[in-house]
Amino acid sequence: EGREDLQVNQLETQIWIKPDIQKTDVDFSEILNAIQEIAKDVNIFFDELEGVNSPSKDDDSLLHHGNLTSTSDDASRLEVVGEEVPDKNKTNGLYFRDGKCRIDYILVYRKSNPQTEKREVFERNIRAEGLQMEKESSLTNSDIIFVKLHAPWEVLGKYAELMNVRMPFRRKIYYLHRRYKFMNRIEKQISRFRGWLPRKPMKLDKETLPDLEENDCYTAPFSQQRIHHFIIHNKDTFFNNATRSRIVHHILQRVKYEEGKNKIGLNRLLSNGSYEAAFPLHEGSYRSKNSIKTHGAENHRHLLYECWASWGVWYKYQPLDLVRRYFGEKIGLYFAWLGWYTGMLFPAAFIGLFVFLYGVTTLNHCQVSKEVCQATDIIMCPICDKYCPFMRLSDSCIYAKVTHLFDNGATVFFAVFMAVWATVFLEFWKRRRAVIAYDWDLIDWEEEEEEIRPQFEAKYSKKERMNPISGKPEPYQAFADKCSRLIVSASGIFFMICVVIAAVFGIVIYRVVTVSTFAAFKWALIRNNSQVATTGTAVCINFCIIMLLNVVTSETLIIFFTEQPRTESEWENSFTLKMFLFQFVNLNSSTFYIAFFLGRFTGHPGAYLRLINRWRLEECHPSGCLIDLCMQMGIIMVLKQTWNNFMELGYPLIQNWWTRRKLRQEYGTQGKTSFPQWEKDYNLQPMNAYGLFDEYLEMSMALTFILSLSLDFNFGFTTIFVAAFPLAPLLALLNNIIEIRLDAYKFVTQWRRPLASRAKDIGIWYGILEGIGILSVITNAFVIAVTSDFIPRLVYAYKYGPCAGQGEAGQKCMVGYVNASLSVFLVSDFENRSEPTSNGSEFSGSPLKYCRYRDYRDPPHSPVPYGYTLQFWHVLAARLAFIIVFEHLVFCIKHLISYLIPDLPKDLRDRMRREKYLIQEMMYEAELERLQKERKERKKNGKSYHNEWP
């Protein structure tokens, strides 16, 4: 007879039953629940009938250009009658047409899309789940349809309980520890001293930030049976917008659109083109005509823009609580980690700058650089076949001075400091993360509370087993299936890494071939700097290959090779690990070649080692290979960072500008401002499909670089080759300050609002960063021992120099080092294919008989020509000993620091214990109060029970 009659009958039944509760001992709550379930089933049945008998939801007769067409439940319409709704709610584009139902999610599709039947079934099942729906055609394109979804209170409560959403139920009671009088006096003196100091400029103005209630309340998983325990001032605002969108998305991921185990979820409809987009709405405009200081913030998005994404607040702390409320815990943790990392870079940048300035101040006192610059009589052998000429050692004077800036006595100290810094950074981040997890109520959140991925649920729904935690049946993946997928995945990643190594091999061949070509070039500038030109062009080509491999083979293939994990976090961890391995090898393989292989296995003049018995392997510059390493890392990182910033911010800015330009041409300057919020958000760029992966990857690779050469791909490039470039932490610090505001601006203004999701920590990225820290110790040990000249100079000073046997190693002990590090070669012993075209007569007026090269070998007239000298074996032994001692010393320091620094601060541990005790007391008191009220009501009604408790 219609749904309205059913609703009225249901209400009458409830009214008729309530008086009888006073006359009988029967618990009618179960009867009421059963009636409500039956009514819900009938509602679903009528919804299905409406879906079958009603015309198509995509029919033009139901849609008008710019007008709302409601398909929400009649009950929601009846609730609005008689209530005054602010006109602002009807015009700001955040509510349904009635101005009361807030839009929690937006779906977008095109009427011309042929997937009409799938959408009809999907939307009918959405209404069966209790969601309310409205549709509206786009103002700019009548073919585009927006589906607005709203979750009523009953649906929110039901799924919040299923998803274990934690909600506030009591305000926190802050416990102050007892302090002794002496400590109180000290604190008073310190507070007095602070009063004389100027106000901290980095702190945000607390008056402009809203009072986030959930941070000052104890929380517990929402339960409808204990709803009276929770603080509910208004049911419409009890669940914030991010939580409402997360609940709606959870429902959409589990709604079927066709018969079949895999025909489920919004993601599949997005992939097959049934829907064009799906996103939660931003909370209005991020700009306002009025000043935030005089009129306050219009909404949280406006507040985030003014206090976080604006370039004028680059020096201030981030409003992390507001970021977490608007974007969710996962994005909030990323920005918390990025801010902590940026703060920890300050001491590293200061020490790195000090090491660099030490090299600058001692440049004029460096004996090695002096000898190189004054060695006009030392003629070096050609560095390539035929076309490379003989050259004076003094021609590399500039390179020797630049090398001293990065390879000096303070380099070893800085390498040890950065290895320890990486450990301190990670250990203190664990403490910081624990504090954030406590403040954001993530301490008790476990992965078991995370829902199963719909893809996993659909694929393995036939096999079930009992969950050992919850005791409920869930889909199960067989061990054999898991192993087979793991083998296929590992094989695929190994193949992709082999492709990267093959590309590096091609770069090596290019360097070998090109150095001879540039040496015979017509332009004197390139001919005289053939090795620098070879390195520069090779790095640029290498960068192009890196980006090409990223686009062609990385994301799509790695998703294909990723297994089918149970939860979303497991899938993200698996994808992240594989993607990081590929990106790490792709970005750093050529750098490792230059650092540890370039010029190490070339042979010697007259007996060069050749590639495929054809091309002579490339040699280092007479001043060493450190310049090549710096050029490789510097060019790669600058180009990579520039490209990343353009793709992250520049590309969305250009696309959004082009969209606004077209709208202005069609609708004038006032057209864009009159668009509803869903239309504005649809014109923004969607967030990266892989979430925060690219952000973490960019920062972790920079940190690899800092613990390395220290430029900025970030944690990796700040740690792995830091001994080669002490200015890396400083450049990383400057980049991170810009990166924070760029990312904030991008999230607030250029991207659609991402779906809020919970996370307890940064996931597998912490393990990756720990691995990078361990790898940095090994690579820095090899860079100092193998790539730099630190060990050969040390051996010469203590064993072969003027101060041999005296226990000194100053600059006066390095006299004669350059001559001792060069060997002599007889020019007539050149191979036919290596013999240079010039005979060197331009240096002395007659053909050269001898030339010098970097190595420790016997002269040509010795009993064993060109054999290794005793000094070579001393240097080799010293290098191996240094690597072993350096690694063991640094690893011991790292483990000692890890042991001494607890993961949880003591005051936080005490607060957690006290809160656990208080929560138990509150729950007991609330239950006791409820039972006492029931007892009083029974006494009033004349009922009495024997052995009542309490």
Side-chain angles (χ1 to χ4, degrees):
E1 296 179 357
R3 189 184 305 166
E4 294 183 7
D5 294 339
L6 178 66
Q7 297 284 346
V8 174
N9 291 337
Q10 183 180 352
L11 293 173
E12 290 177 352
T13 304
Q14 293 178 2
I15 296 170
W16 177 76
I17 289 175
K18 283 181 180 178
D20 285 352
I21 295 177
Q22 303 174 2
K23 302 178 182 179
T24 177
D25 297 340
V26 178
D27 186 5
F28 280 91
S29 61
E30 297 182 0
I31 300 175
L32 287 172
N33 291 336
I35 292 173
Q36 291 173 357
E37 291 295 328
I38 294 171
K40 180 181 176 183
D41 294 338
V42 176
N43 284 337
I44 295 172
F45 173 73
F46 281 126
D47 278 334
E48 293 176 353
L49 289 179
E50 286 180 2
V52 174
N53 298 327
S54 63
S56 171
K57 298 296 181 294
D58 297 340
D59 193 350
D60 289 339
S61 62
L62 293 179
L63 295 169
H64 303 280
H65 187 74
N67 292 334
L68 295 171
T69 302
S70 175
T71 58
S72 57
D73 292 341
D74 295 284
S76 65
R77 295 195 192 104
L78 294 174
E79 290 173 357
V80 181
V81 176
E83 296 184 10
E84 294 183 1
V85 179
D87 294 336
K88 184 180 179 181
N89 290 357
K90 298 181 181 181
T91 58
N92 59 10
L94 299 176
Y95 291 82
F96 276 17
R97 188 179 184 182
D98 55 20
K100 183 178 180 181
C101 298
R102 188 177 185 90
I103 300 174
D104 298 321
Y105 213 80
I106 292 290
L107 302 177
V108 186
Y109 68 88
R110 292 181 180 270
K111 289 193 293 184
S112 57
N113 189 285
Q115 308 281 354
T116 304
E117 185 176 354
K118 293 180 181 179
R119 284 197 303 272
E120 288 182 5
V121 176
F122 186 72
E123 292 172 6
R124 189 160 61 245
N125 290 332
I126 288 175
R127 293 196 303 276
E129 290 290 338
L131 297 181
Q132 299 173 11
M133 184 186 305
E134 280 186 353
K135 290 186 179 182
E136 183 173 355
S137 60
S138 172
L139 295 175
T140 60
N141 187 349
S142 59
D143 188 43
I144 297 177
I145 306 300
F146 294 97
V147 180
K148 299 172 287 183
L149 301 177
H150 167 76
W153 168 259
E154 294 77 13
V155 176
L156 292 173
K158 172 186 174 182
Y159 281 95
E161 187 171 359
L162 291 175
M163 297 168 63
N164 292 312
V165 176
R166 301 183 70 88
M167 301 304 295
F169 71 94
R170 286 291 187 276
R171 286 197 171 274
K172 287 183 179 179
I173 301 174
Y174 292 97
Y175 175 71
L176 298 177
H177 297 279
R178 284 188 62 186
R179 296 186 179 274
Y180 297 100
K181 293 182 179 179
F182 176 72
M183 295 299 296
N184 288 333
R185 290 175 184 173
I186 292 178
E187 288 183 357
K188 287 180 181 179
Q189 295 297 329
I190 292 174
S191 61
R192 243 184 233 175
F193 176 73
R194 285 178 179 173
W196 298 336
L197 297 175
R199 184 184 176 187
K200 291 183 179 180
M202 292 183 292
K203 283 192 174 182
L204 291 166
D205 186 6
K206 292 184 179 180
E207 295 180 358
T208 61
L209 294 176
D211 181 21
L212 304 180
E213 184 180 78
E214 57 263 36
N215 291 343
D216 296 326
C217 295
Y218 300 118
T219 62
F222 183 77
S223 172
Q224 290 180 319
Q225 293 181 349
R226 297 185 175 182
I227 196 171
H228 54 281
H229 290 171
F230 294 91
I231 303 174
I232 305 178
H233 302 301
N234 185 350
K235 287 187 177 182
D236 293 334
T237 58
F238 178 64
F239 296 102
N240 61 39
N241 296 333
T243 304
R244 296 174 68 99
S245 300
R246 184 157 58 93
I247 292 174
V248 173
H249 181 78
H250 175 88
I251 297 172
L252 297 179
Q253 289 293 80
R254 281 153 180 78
V255 173
K256 280 197 169 188
Y257 59 87
E258 266 186 2
E259 289 298 328
K261 65 176 184 178
N262 292 327
K263 310 298 184 180
I264 184 175
L266 175 62
N267 285 348
R268 290 187 177 272
L269 290 175
L270 289 171
S271 61
N272 65 26
S274 298
Y275 287 100
E276 195 171 279
F279 52 89
L281 287 179
H282 278 294
E283 296 182 5
S285 176
Y286 64 89
R287 293 185 184 275
S288 176
K289 297 179 181 179
N290 304 318
S291 173
I292 192 174
K293 295 181 180 180
T294 57
H295 293 75
E298 297 286 339
N299 49 64
H300 284 163
R301 188 187 185 193
H302 179 214
L303 184 62
L304 280 172
Y305 177 77
E306 294 290 341
C307 298
W308 183 48
S310 176
W311 293 104
V313 295
W314 64 270
Y315 59 92
K316 289 186 177 290
Y317 294 130
Q318 301 182 83
L320 293 177
D321 289 333
L322 191 60
V323 174
R324 171 245 182 172
R325 181 188 180 98
Y326 194 82
F327 293 110
E329 285 80 3
K330 181 176 287 188
I331 294 177
L333 274 172
Y334 162 72
F335 281 102
W337 176 83
L338 184 55
W340 180 256
Y341 170 38
T342 304
M344 288 293 292
L345 278 175
F346 276 96
F350 176 78
I351 299 296
L353 181 62
F354 171 79
V355 171
F356 178 78
L357 293 178
Y358 172 81
V360 173
T361 55
T362 59
L363 182 61
N364 295 327
H365 306 286
C366 178
Q367 181 63 31
V368 177
S369 299
K370 286 181 181 179
E371 290 186 2
V372 171
C373 294
Q374 296 171 2
T376 56
D377 57 337
I378 297 179
I379 308 301
M380 302 298 294
C381 297
I383 59 175
C384 67
D385 293 337
K386 293 186 178 180
Y387 300 108
C388 290
F390 295 98
M391 59 180 296
R392 287 188 175 93
L393 180 60
S394 59
D395 293 342
S396 59
C397 177
I398 296 177
Y399 298 102
K401 291 182 177 180
V402 173
T403 301
H404 176 75
L405 297 178
F406 307 112
D407 185 12
N408 52 63
T411 302
V412 178
F413 160 74
F414 186 58
V416 175
F417 170 81
M418 287 304 298
V420 174
W421 173 87
T423 302
V424 172
F425 163 71
L426 292 176
E427 291 300 321
F428 276 96
W429 162 248
K430 284 196 290 188
R431 294 166 62 88
R432 173 62 176 159
R433 185 209 62 83
V435 174
I436 292 174
Y438 170 79
D439 291 338
W440 292 356
D441 202 29
L442 299 172
I443 293 292
D444 298 327
W445 186 81
E446 299 292 342
E447 285 189 5
E448 285 301 325
E449 298 180 20
E450 188 178 0
E451 55 267 20
I452 300 174
R453 294 180 71 232
Q455 295 87 340
F456 181 89
E457 198 170 6
K459 189 173 184 63
Y460 300 104
S461 58
K462 291 183 178 180
K463 295 183 180 180
E464 290 187 349
R465 72 170 182 179
M466 299 298 292
N467 187 303
I469 307 299
S470 63
K472 298 177 182 179
E474 66 177 17
Y476 169 68
Q477 183 182 12
F479 180 76
D481 182 71
K482 187 181 296 184
C483 288
S484 61
R485 287 180 174 273
L486 188 61
I487 292 172
V488 172
S489 174
S491 303
I493 299 300
F494 178 75
F495 169 76
M496 295 171 65
I497 291 176
C498 290
V499 171
V500 174
I501 295 175
V504 174
F505 185 74
I507 294 294
V508 173
I509 295 177
Y510 169 83
R511 294 174 67 104
V512 169
V513 173
T514 310
V515 67
S516 300
T517 305
F518 283 152
F521 213 73
K522 295 180 180 180
W523 296 347
L525 179 64
I526 296 179
R527 186 173 61 251
N528 297 334
N529 299 278
S530 58
Q531 197 166 17
V532 176
T534 300
T535 302
T537 55
V539 172
C540 294
I541 294 175
N542 187 25
F543 172 75
C544 295
I545 292 176
I546 288 171
M547 301 310 299
L548 182 64
L549 289 174
N550 284 349
V551 173
V552 174
T553 64
S554 60
E555 294 176 349
T556 305
L557 286 179
I558 287 178
I559 290 176
F560 176 77
F561 287 127
T562 302
E563 314 93 70
Q564 192 69 266
R566 175 178 170 274
T567 63
E568 195 67 30
S569 61
E570 291 176 0
W571 184 90
E572 287 182 2
N573 290 342
S574 177
F575 170 77
T576 298
L577 180 61
K578 295 175 178 60
M579 193 68 175
F580 176 80
L581 288 175
F582 173 79
Q583 295 277 14
F584 182 84
V585 175
N586 187 27
L587 189 67
N588 294 289
S589 53
S590 57
T591 306
F592 272 86
Y593 163 74
I594 293 175
F596 305 125
F597 296 98
L598 178 64
R600 302 287 180 269
F601 309 100
T602 59
H604 62 87
Y608 287 115
L609 297 179
R610 297 184 178 275
L611 195 64
I612 321 179
N613 198 27
R614 181 177 180 182
W615 295 298
R616 169 182 162 184
L617 292 176
E618 188 181 5
E619 291 186 40
C620 291
H621 197 272
S623 298
C625 295
L626 208 61
I627 292 297
D628 295 309
L629 181 60
C630 289
M631 286 184 63
Q632 169 77 17
M633 300 186 73
I635 295 175
I636 287 288
M637 288 307 104
V638 170
L639 292 177
K640 182 70 174 174
Q641 203 63 42
T642 303
W643 176 260
N644 285 344
N645 289 337
F646 172 75
M647 293 303 296
E648 288 181 6
L649 184 62
Y651 183 67
L653 273 173
I654 293 173
Q655 284 193 317
N656 292 336
W657 170 81
W658 182 255
T659 302
R660 290 194 300 269
R661 181 175 178 273
K662 290 194 299 183
L663 293 177
R664 282 196 300 267
Q665 290 178 350
E666 295 180 10
Y667 298 95
T669 56
Q670 299 298 327
K672 182 76 164 55
T673 58
S674 61
F675 288 162
Q677 189 63 42
W678 56 82
E679 191 101 32
K680 296 178 183 177
D681 287 3
Y682 176 70
N683 291 327
L684 296 177
Q685 298 303 308
M687 184 181 174
N688 191 330
Y690 309 104
L692 293 170
F693 170 79
D694 287 341
E695 314 300 330
Y696 277 119
L697 179 68
E698 182 180 353
M699 291 296 105
S700 64
M701 295 300 286
L703 196 49
T704 306
F705 208 63
I706 296 178
L707 296 182
S708 141
L709 178 155
S710 218
L711 213 160
D712 182 62
F713 217 25
N714 236 319
F715 188 82
F717 266 35
T718 310
T719 52
I720 294 183
F721 298 100
V722 73
F725 190 54
L727 289 179
L730 178 61
L731 298 179
L733 174 62
L734 298 176
N735 175 80
N736 282 16
I737 292 174
I738 298 173
E739 183 73 23
I740 290 176
R741 304 305 162 181
L742 276 180
D743 288 345
Y745 184 81
K746 176 177 59 182
F747 272 96
V748 174
T749 68
Q750 301 302 311
W751 279 0
R752 296 172 189 162
R753 185 176 183 176
L755 183 71
S757 56
R758 290 173 68 84
K760 193 174 182 179
D761 49 31
I762 61 176
I764 198 174
W765 285 107
Y766 183 85
I768 290 174
L769 297 179
E770 276 192 326
I772 291 173
I774 295 173
L775 181 62
S776 70
V777 177
I778 301 172
T779 54
N780 280 304
F782 275 90
V783 166
I784 296 172
V786 178
T787 308
S788 73
D789 289 336
F790 175 77
I791 298 300
R793 293 175 187 176
L794 210 61
V795 171
Y796 177 81
Y798 284 102
K799 184 68 177 176
Y800 299 96
C803 305
Q806 300 179 13
E808 296 181 10
Q811 291 297 327
K812 63 180 181 178
C813 301
M814 299 302 297
V815 176
Y817 167 76
V818 173
N819 186 62
S821 64
L822 297 176
S823 300
V824 180
F825 177 72
L826 186 63
V827 174
S828 60
D829 291 342
F830 267 122
E831 299 173 301
N832 291 333
R833 53 182 173 177
S834 298
E835 188 174 359
T837 55
S838 63
N839 57 8
S841 58
E842 64 271 16
F843 296 104
S844 59
S846 60
L848 286 176
K849 292 183 179 180
Y850 300 98
C851 64
R852 310 292 293 273
Y853 62 98
R854 282 174 57 95
D855 210 341
Y856 297 101
R857 292 183 181 270
D858 292 323
H861 302 296
S862 62
V864 183
Y866 309 116
Y868 288 117
T869 63
L870 183 61
Q871 187 176 355
F872 169 82
W873 299 108
H874 283 162
V875 171
L876 179 61
R879 281 173 168 167
L880 295 177
F882 175 82
I883 291 172
I884 294 173
V885 172
F886 181 87
E887 289 182 356
H888 282 70
L889 175 65
V890 174
F891 280 134
C892 287
I893 296 174
K894 286 169 68 71
H895 284 93
L896 180 62
I897 292 174
S898 300
Y899 175 77
L900 293 177
I901 300 177
D903 294 346
L904 285 177
K906 185 179 182 303
D907 59 339
L908 177 61
R909 187 182 293 110
D910 294 341
R911 287 164 62 190
M912 290 171 59
R913 290 175 179 173
R914 173 143 183 94
E915 285 198 7
K916 186 176 181 181
Y917 168 77
L918 291 176
I919 288 174
Q920 291 176 349
E921 290 292 319
M922 290 176 185
M923 297 296 289
Y924 171 77
E925 290 174 1
E927 194 67 22
L928 184 63
E929 183 180 353
R930 185 182 67 84
L931 292 174
Q932 288 176 345
K933 285 182 179 179
E934 291 182 357
R935 183 182 180 185
K936 290 180 181 179
E937 290 179 358
R938 289 169 182 168
K939 286 183 178 180
K940 287 181 180 179
N941 297 330
K943 296 182 180 180
S944 62
Y945 295 92
H946 297 288
N947 300 325
E948 287 186 348
W949 184 88

